Amino acid sequence: MPALNLVDYSPNDPRPSSLLSTASNLVLIDNYDSFTWNVYQYLVLEGATVKVFRNDEISLAELVGFRPTQLVISPGPGHPHTDAGISCEAIRHFAGKIPIFGVCMGEQCIFSVFGGRVEVTGEILHGKTSPLRHDARGIYMGLSQDIPVTRYHSLAGTHVSLPDSLEVTSWIPGVLDGGKSIIMGVRHKQFVVEGVQFHPESILTQDGKVMLRNFLKMEGGTWAENDSGRNLAKEKDLANSIKPPHNDQTCSNGAPTAGKPKESILEQIFQHRRRGVEAQKLILSQRPWDLQAAYDMSISPPQISLVDRLRRSPYNLALMAEIKRASPSKGVISLETCAPQQARKYALAGASVISVLTEPEWFKGNIDDLRAVRQSLEGMPNRPAVLRKEFIFDQYQILEARLAGADTVLLIVKMLDEGTLRKLYTYSQSLGMEPLVEVNTLEEMDVAISLGAQVVGVNNRNLTNFEVDLDTTSRLMHKVARETIVCALSGISGPNDVAAYSKNGVGAVLVGEALMRAADTAAFAVRDRQKRRKLPLKLVQISLASSSLRAANAAFRKI
């Protein structure tokens, strides 16, 4: 139905849109909920032609005969197993054929259909708003973080039962016991199927109409068929990040530019961390002089040299294995990961360095993770060096890292002026830690060289637009002296990604997401155990079922 007789009384962009050809025959399943009217209204006002059916008043055969362009499953009372009528059956049939979107119980139906469990969350909410974190893809494209969304639920999908075919797309940070987040959205990894636990159609939800508009522009049954959505240009349309490409200029690292950013995710994180660190300095026992007094007592854990540990690797490419629960570009990766347990596995698999993300909001880490990681490595022969990977701008963060057991810290050239960078570099060295200095362009590499950095990490991911170019490391190699250890950072997922690095003289590779997303017991980088030869990295899945590490799936050939 067209929007001719509908008026939007909400304050959120009340202007009706023109009819959309992509949503010319949308079916909305009503699960007997008053919010179904709001969903209908928003869909129509965004240009959809909508037909509504009660969940017990249409058969699957009749629904199929209607030939819908999209399927939307409404909110509703009760549980998806007992109170959703035709909803789950419709999702099973149309998944992979047309775009599907579920709201509240509609999202729970999606979660259940693909094998997850919907259970009591520990919270009972009725009309409460919460700040939403999301992966900036699919329906969330173009939205900022921490937008208020309205919640009416006591049930939700559980992390432990999240099906392999689904990924978490949005969440409410750390409100459960133990700091776990509540799943607020899921997306099928292959099919155009998205669901949200909150209510985008509520007047209290910010940008709910934008979410529905994004959905209505989706076509076909798989993400591969869409120019918008989950696979759009390597997350270049992240919220608040960049403009689309508009010319043929190139960046100083030799790669094509993606245009001038309005405000990068890096800048957002940087400002957020500044506020967080300043607040932390006011906490008793965590004030700068408290940390200094503790350090002066020589109670920091024993440290090892990053440079020496990388050079002791018997293989061409030393492995820097990363513990990362989430990221701005990929969203949630593995919220349930136990940092010290993961670190122990990495160490046994032969990692030379364990990188620990300690940024709490976008990456879901903290300094306690690093402290626990260091404790888990105590007493190990030839243990890996521990890297604090963080957005560091203050000596306070470096001292905090050393007290927690870090052997090195990350300094990002892009986010620091040269004077501050030099000051932090020198301070880190004064604590016995040679920093890993991160660069992405030729100009930044020149800064690192002038600094005298012994270990330089080349980030293959542009921190302005988050696009990955694996050739970035190779393009910058000619600038560095032979004795400088160069590490390739970001975007590495398999042996084909690192073959060129071994030939170009790269000394180490950092692998994060590929290891964290393993479906088996763990996924590690392991090397041929013939230590007389230097062989490049190969990635396989391994099992820890026996006392020795054995390769369970030789997923990759030797490079």
Side-chain angles (χ1 to χ4, degrees):
M1 296 175 61
L4 298 180
N5 60 344
L6 291 180
V7 178
D8 183 359
Y9 293 101
S10 77
N12 301 319
D13 190 18
R15 297 165 296 177
S17 301
S18 302
L19 289 176
L20 289 173
S21 60
T22 55
S24 60
N25 194 25
L26 185 149
V27 166
L28 171 61
I29 300 298
D30 175 18
N31 284 306
Y32 286 85
D33 194 272
S34 60
F35 265 114
T36 302
W37 165 253
N38 299 54
V39 176
Y40 169 80
Q41 183 187 35
Y42 269 30
L43 290 170
V44 171
L45 288 169
E46 287 306 314
T49 301
V50 182
K51 182 66 175 177
V52 183
F53 295 102
R54 288 280 175 87
N55 67 17
D56 58 354
E57 294 182 356
I58 188 171
S59 68
L60 182 61
E62 291 171 326
L63 196 55
V64 171
F66 196 72
R67 300 174 63 87
T69 53
Q70 285 106 346
L71 177 67
V72 176
I73 310 297
S74 85
H79 194 281
H81 287 175
T82 56
D83 304 287
I86 192 70
S87 299
C88 292
E89 190 178 2
I91 292 169
R92 289 189 189 95
H93 176 81
F94 287 108
K97 300 181 178 71
I98 61 173
I100 299 174
F101 183 60
V103 178
C104 199
M105 189 166 77
E107 184 263 359
Q108 296 171 10
C109 288
I110 292 171
F111 204 90
S112 297
V113 163
F114 292 101
R117 295 197 309 272
V118 174
E119 298 177 352
V120 175
T121 64
E123 287 188 309
I124 299 176
L125 300 119
H126 190 82
K128 175 184 177 181
T129 60
S130 301
L132 184 77
R133 284 297 168 88
H134 57 79
D135 66 1
R137 297 181 288 175
I139 64 168
Y140 305 106
M141 286 175 56
L143 303 185
S144 59
Q145 297 290 341
D146 294 318
I147 58 174
V149 297
T150 311
R151 300 165 61 194
Y152 291 80
H153 69 101
S154 60
L155 305 175
T158 61
H159 286 284
V160 294
S161 72
L162 180 70
D164 291 340
S165 60
L166 299 182
E167 59 187 353
V168 175
T169 60
S170 61
W171 59 93
I172 303 300
V175 297
L176 298 180
D177 290 342
K180 293 181 181 178
S181 63
I182 294 180
I183 295 174
M184 285 288 109
V186 292
R187 178 187 302 121
H188 198 282
K189 295 177 181 177
Q190 179 184 357
F191 304 147
V192 184
V193 177
E194 294 222 36
V196 295
Q197 180 63 68
F198 59 91
H199 288 256
E201 76 283 5
S202 169
I203 195 173
L204 296 179
T205 294
Q206 180 179 320
D207 294 327
K209 291 181 70 176
V210 178
M211 299 177 200
L212 292 175
R213 187 184 311 149
N214 286 337
F215 169 73
L216 292 176
K217 293 178 180 178
M218 298 174 186
E219 299 180 271
T222 65
W223 294 112
E225 299 173 68
N226 282 266
D227 292 328
S228 63
R230 182 170 175 264
N231 295 322
L232 179 61
K234 304 286 189 178
E235 291 77 48
K236 70 179 180 182
D237 206 7
L238 274 171
N240 298 326
S241 59
I242 67 166
K243 298 176 182 177
H246 62 277
N247 56 37
D248 294 323
Q249 296 176 348
T250 57
C251 296
S252 55
N253 65 5
T257 183
K260 184 178 179 180
K262 293 180 180 179
E263 182 184 10
S264 71
I265 295 295
L266 177 64
E267 291 168 332
Q268 294 180 43
I269 297 174
F270 184 45
Q271 295 305 321
H272 187 272
R273 291 303 292 138
R274 276 195 178 279
R275 294 191 295 269
V277 170
E278 290 307 311
Q280 184 177 326
K281 288 180 179 179
L282 300 177
I283 300 174
L284 295 178
S285 80
Q286 296 187 46
R287 299 167 298 183
W289 50 90
D290 293 323
L291 267 59
Q292 186 60 53
Y295 180 78
D296 291 342
M297 295 174 64
S298 300
I299 61 174
S300 302
Q303 63 193 129
I304 62 175
S305 164
L306 170 66
V307 175
D308 292 346
R309 185 62 183 85
L310 288 172
R311 286 180 175 158
R312 283 204 306 271
S313 174
Y315 312 103
N316 278 0
L317 291 173
L319 172 65
M320 307 173 77
E322 188 157 88
I323 298 172
K324 177 168 64 175
R325 296 189 180 95
S327 75
S329 62
K330 299 299 182 180
V332 171
I333 296 171
S334 179
L335 290 180
E336 303 302 318
T337 294
C338 172
Q341 185 180 58
Q342 190 81 351
R344 181 72 64 86
K345 294 174 182 177
Y346 286 165
L348 292 173
S352 296
V353 176
I354 295 177
S355 170
V356 185
L357 265 299
T358 61
E359 193 283 323
E361 295 300 321
W362 280 265
F363 293 89
K364 305 300 177 189
N366 56 68
I367 194 66
D368 288 334
D369 284 337
L370 189 144
R371 186 175 291 109
V373 164
R374 176 62 183 85
Q375 291 171 353
S376 74
L377 303 176
E378 189 63 41
M380 275 192 169
N382 197 31
R383 71 166 176 85
V386 177
L387 163 69
R388 180 181 192 181
K389 196 172 184 188
E390 172 66 280
F391 299 85
I392 289 178
F393 49 84
D394 194 310
Q395 292 182 0
Y396 176 90
Q397 295 167 286
I398 298 175
L399 181 57
E400 180 187 41
R402 178 77 281 276
L403 282 167
D407 301 296
T408 182
V409 295
L410 178 71
L411 299 179
I412 304 174
V413 172
K414 184 178 183 65
M415 64 178 283
L416 300 168
D417 63 78
E418 195 163 345
T420 301
L421 175 65
R422 191 170 296 276
K423 179 180 178 181
L424 295 176
Y425 181 84
T426 302
Y427 179 71
S428 180
Q429 286 185 316
S430 74
L431 300 184
M433 298 190 295
E434 177 65 28
L436 170 63
V437 180
E438 179 184 307
V439 304
N440 177 254
T441 66
L442 292 170
E443 291 81 2
E444 292 171 7
M445 180 64 86
D446 287 338
V447 172
I449 292 171
S450 69
L451 196 65
Q454 298 181 56
V455 185
V456 177
V458 180
N459 197 339
N460 293 315
R461 189 185 303 278
N462 185 306
L463 290 180
T464 298
N465 58 25
F466 279 75
E467 291 185 349
V468 173
D469 181 357
L470 292 174
D471 292 332
T472 303
T473 299
S474 298
R475 281 197 299 269
L476 302 188
M477 281 297 298
H478 72 279
K479 299 283 289 185
V480 299
R482 187 177 183 85
E483 60 270 17
T484 302
I485 301 175
V486 175
C487 311
L489 315 178
S490 292
I492 297 167
S493 59
N496 292 335
D497 296 334
V498 301
Y501 297 152
S502 190
K503 300 174 184 177
N504 294 337
V506 174
V509 292
L510 184 143
V511 184
E513 182 189 357
L515 300 180
M516 295 292 294
R517 286 194 184 276
D520 203 346
T521 305
F524 298 103
V526 295
R527 307 166 179 82
D528 193 301
R529 296 306 181 188
Q530 297 177 16
K531 296 192 175 182
R532 294 180 182 273
R533 300 172 58 208
K534 289 192 174 183
L535 296 177
L537 191 72
K538 68 177 181 180
L539 294 180
V540 301
Q541 285 198 330
I542 70 164
S543 168
L544 294 178
S546 62
S547 59
S548 63
L549 294 171
R550 62 181 182 83
N553 298 298
F556 298 91
R557 301 186 303 271
K558 285 186 179 180
I559 300 169

